[in-house]
Amino acid sequence: MALTQQVKSELATVPVLKPESRRAEIATMLRFAGGIHLVSGQIVVEGEFDTGNAARRLRAGIRELYDFDCDIIVVNSSGMRRGTRYVVRQVRRGEDLARLTGLIGARRVPVRGLPAQIVGGSLEDQVAAWRGAFLARGSLTEPGRSMALEITCPSSESALALVGAARRLGIGAKAREVRQMDRVVVRDGDAISELLTRMGANESVLAWEERRMRREVRASANRLANFDDANLRRSARAAVAASARVERALEILGEDIPDHLRSAGELRLSHRDASLEELGRLHVPPLTKDAVAGRIRRLLALADKTAAERGVAPTTAALTSEMLADDK
């Protein structure tokens, strides 16, 4: 949640010069943070936020663009409700504000998605809509396998409208329903960085990218360590299996073994955990890894041929199930 609060604090200070984009942000904040209520036949517009900066930004925008004075009510945490909430409420002239922002139509019917002027607006309006949605109901998780920028939406229509706005910006976002709640999610790391940058959270992007890079470096190091460890286990198992077969080969052949093959086999038994490269360096004179492997291979082949002629168990009979097991 620290990243989310950092992004929201920064977005609450982003200057917006075009009135149309400011209206798009205000309308989206109201649409995603609460909406319209009918109290005693009177339309009341309100939005609930988890940061005071977002609530104050909304009130300032409404005052500057529409010359309406909103109330901010602070609701302290209690019971099941965690954290302080900030409610921006427009009681007097609430219907006028709802009409000016496009939240209701001519027949006082609330919009289901986003107002038409936002959906058909400029690219700056799409960015403003995303900024307003994030300030209202956005969250950003830590970089990693489950990283995501997510917006909780008041309806499926508003989720689809937000996905359409992202598509116009060239960013892939998906709408989905989780626990009967409509959400819009961006999971690609590069897309998250681009979207945060477009919204104006430049400092937060730097912090998020730094954590992302650190996670990726750590994950790469862990993968390499696991890969090396698995290779070592396989090499050790192969050496033990080869030693068992060589020991059985020497039993089968007895004294009837060429000297160069016997020396390679005895070297294998003297250094059961060593790699072929290490055995080559220990041999007198030194041999290459391929030369050692070739001599041991010929020793085993000769022993298996002799075992078949005598009708006895071959060298593979010395292998156990543990030696034959594969790493998972």
Side-chain angles (χ1 to χ4, degrees):
M1 293 301 294
L3 270 176
T4 299
Q5 297 305 318
Q6 179 179 345
V7 173
K8 289 186 177 182
S9 296
E10 187 173 3
L11 291 182
T13 64
V14 174
V16 181
L17 301 179
K18 291 186 176 181
E20 296 81 5
S21 299
R22 194 73 185 274
R23 292 189 185 97
E25 180 185 303
I26 290 172
T28 307
M29 290 178 74
L30 290 172
R31 182 71 185 94
F32 279 72
I36 301 170
H37 305 283
L38 195 62
V39 180
S40 301
Q42 183 179 6
I43 290 179
V44 175
V45 179
E46 69 175 24
E48 183 177 302
F49 302 89
D50 58 0
T51 66
N53 291 336
R56 288 187 288 271
R57 180 181 177 89
L58 176 61
R59 182 176 64 175
I62 292 174
R63 182 186 294 121
E64 292 171 9
L65 289 177
Y66 306 113
D67 198 25
F68 296 157
D69 286 323
C70 299
D71 299 321
I72 293 184
I73 303 169
V74 180
V75 181
N76 294 320
S77 59
S78 61
M80 297 293 292
R81 184 184 293 272
R82 296 182 179 180
T84 303
R85 314 294 292 181
Y86 303 85
V87 179
V88 179
R89 182 173 295 165
Q90 180 72 44
V91 179
R92 292 183 61 252
R93 304 194 67 181
E95 183 170 347
D96 293 336
L97 179 60
R99 290 189 186 279
L100 289 171
T101 54
L103 296 179
I104 62 172
R107 299 183 179 181
R108 303 178 79 190
V109 178
V111 299
R112 293 287 298 168
L114 286 176
Q117 60 265 30
I118 298 178
V119 175
S122 64
L123 293 182
E124 289 85 352
D125 296 346
Q126 312 309 307
V127 172
W130 263 94
R131 187 188 305 112
F134 193 94
L135 284 168
R137 289 293 181 270
S139 65
L140 177 65
T141 58
E142 290 280 346
R145 296 179 63 183
S146 59
M147 61 184 173
L149 188 153
E150 186 173 280
I151 308 290
T152 302
C153 305
S155 66
S156 58
E157 291 86 352
S158 60
L160 292 175
L162 205 58
V163 170
R167 187 182 301 113
R168 290 187 59 187
L169 297 173
I171 294 170
K174 292 185 178 180
R176 61 193 183 108
E177 185 176 335
V178 181
R179 293 189 292 274
Q180 298 182 338
M181 293 291 294
D182 292 291
R183 302 177 190 271
V184 173
V185 183
V186 179
R187 293 201 177 277
D188 180 73
D190 294 336
I192 291 174
S193 294
E194 182 180 352
L195 184 55
L196 290 173
T197 303
R198 298 286 290 267
M199 290 192 294
N202 298 308
E203 294 295 329
S204 300
V205 168
L206 294 176
W208 192 83
E209 283 288 359
E210 181 182 355
R211 299 187 192 187
R212 180 188 174 193
M213 186 177 300
R214 195 182 308 130
R215 288 288 183 91
E216 289 177 352
V217 169
R218 187 182 302 121
S220 297
N222 289 338
R223 283 194 296 270
L224 288 174
N226 292 336
F227 179 76
D228 290 342
D229 185 58
N231 280 342
L232 287 174
R233 288 198 304 270
R234 281 192 290 268
S235 297
R237 183 176 294 128
V240 171
S243 298
R245 292 190 65 190
V246 166
E247 190 171 15
R248 173 60 182 162
L250 295 180
E251 292 177 0
I252 295 172
L253 297 174
E255 298 298 325
D256 190 18
I257 307 176
D259 292 340
H260 67 291
L261 300 185
R262 179 185 294 277
S263 63
E266 291 176 347
L267 192 64
R268 172 79 280 175
L269 295 181
S270 300
H271 305 278
R272 292 176 180 263
D273 296 331
S275 65
L276 291 173
E277 188 174 356
E278 292 170 335
L279 291 180
R281 288 197 299 266
L282 292 170
H283 192 275
V284 180
L287 298 173
T288 64
K289 177 178 67 174
D290 293 337
V292 175
R295 292 187 181 189
I296 292 177
R297 186 166 55 250
R298 288 194 294 274
L299 172 64
L300 298 178
L302 178 60
D304 287 336
K305 180 180 178 182
T306 303
E309 293 172 351
R310 298 177 183 175
V312 298
T315 59
T316 53
L319 299 178
T320 64
S321 57
E322 290 79 6
M323 297 176 187
L324 296 172
D326 292 328
D327 282 326
K328 300 297 184 181

